[in-house]
Amino acid sequence: MSQYFDMGDVTLWNPSNGASRMFRRQVAVFEAELGLGSGIGPMEMDECQIDPVAFAAFVDALLVQHRRTSHAIVLALSEGFTATVVVLAERAGIRVDWERLGGAPDGPREDVQVSAAGMAAPPSGRSWSTGLREQAARLERRMPRQ
């Protein structure tokens, strides 16, 4: 069994029921964290419609929030979901501004982890977005459309 995440007549993703259920539960978590609807509608008869305008705003807010944190645990918990959302956004034709997101974060840092090792940062020579982009590229190859 599987479910469909569609934008209009285009299927963006056709995951198994279990993957779909877990993803939709994470959507609810991040909607609450961001205080913003995702544009991902309810699953009805194994189909879910995604509103492109609301989803684009959600994607941008999610990436900005992800960029502002340096907390290793928050990053670990959110990176898989964020990469999955990036794949869906790119399939939907939503432009992700990696250049803007790769620079210094807009606004103050949030969820900063303070430890003897300091704040989490990308390895030398890599930008913030490199790991997320690599993970999204790996997922793109594994996320069925139909």
Side-chain angles (χ1 to χ4, degrees), residues 7-27:
M7 189 171 285
D9 294 334
V10 177
T11 297
L12 303 178
W13 187 27
N14 178 226
S16 68
N17 289 349
S20 173
R21 186 175 48 253
M22 185 178 288
F23 176 74
R24 287 181 288 111
R25 287 181 176 152
Q26 288 181 320
V27 166

Side-chain angles (χ1 to χ4, degrees), residues 6-124:
D6 299 331
M7 189 171 285
D9 294 334
V10 177
T11 297
L12 303 178
W13 187 27
N14 178 226
S16 68
N17 289 349
S20 173
R21 186 175 48 253
M22 185 178 288
F23 176 74
R24 287 181 288 111
R25 287 181 176 152
Q26 288 181 320
V27 166
V29 167
F30 284 91
E31 286 175 330
E33 285 294 312
L34 296 170
L36 181 67
S38 65
I40 298 173
M43 189 61 67
E44 297 173 342
M45 297 180 59
D46 292 330
E47 294 181 358
C48 169
Q49 279 293 322
I50 300 174
D51 176 271
V53 174
F55 188 57
F58 179 78
V59 170
D60 187 61
L62 179 66
L63 289 170
V64 166
Q65 180 214 35
H66 189 76
R67 177 65 182 107
R68 284 184 183 164
T69 188
S70 65
H71 196 289
I73 302 303
V74 172
L75 290 170
L77 290 170
S78 65
E79 198 155 84
F81 174 78
T82 303
T84 303
V85 167
V86 165
V87 172
L88 293 177
E90 289 176 341
R91 288 180 178 181
I94 295 169
R95 184 178 171 275
V96 175
D97 189 349
W98 292 111
E99 186 174 315
R100 176 179 65 93
L101 292 165
D106 300 333
R109 290 234 180 234
E110 298 172 358
D111 289 318
V112 175
Q113 181 174 349
V114 180
S115 69
M119 295 190 310
S124 180

Side-chain angles (χ1 to χ4, degrees), residues 1 18 138:
M1 296 290 302
R138 283 190 302 274

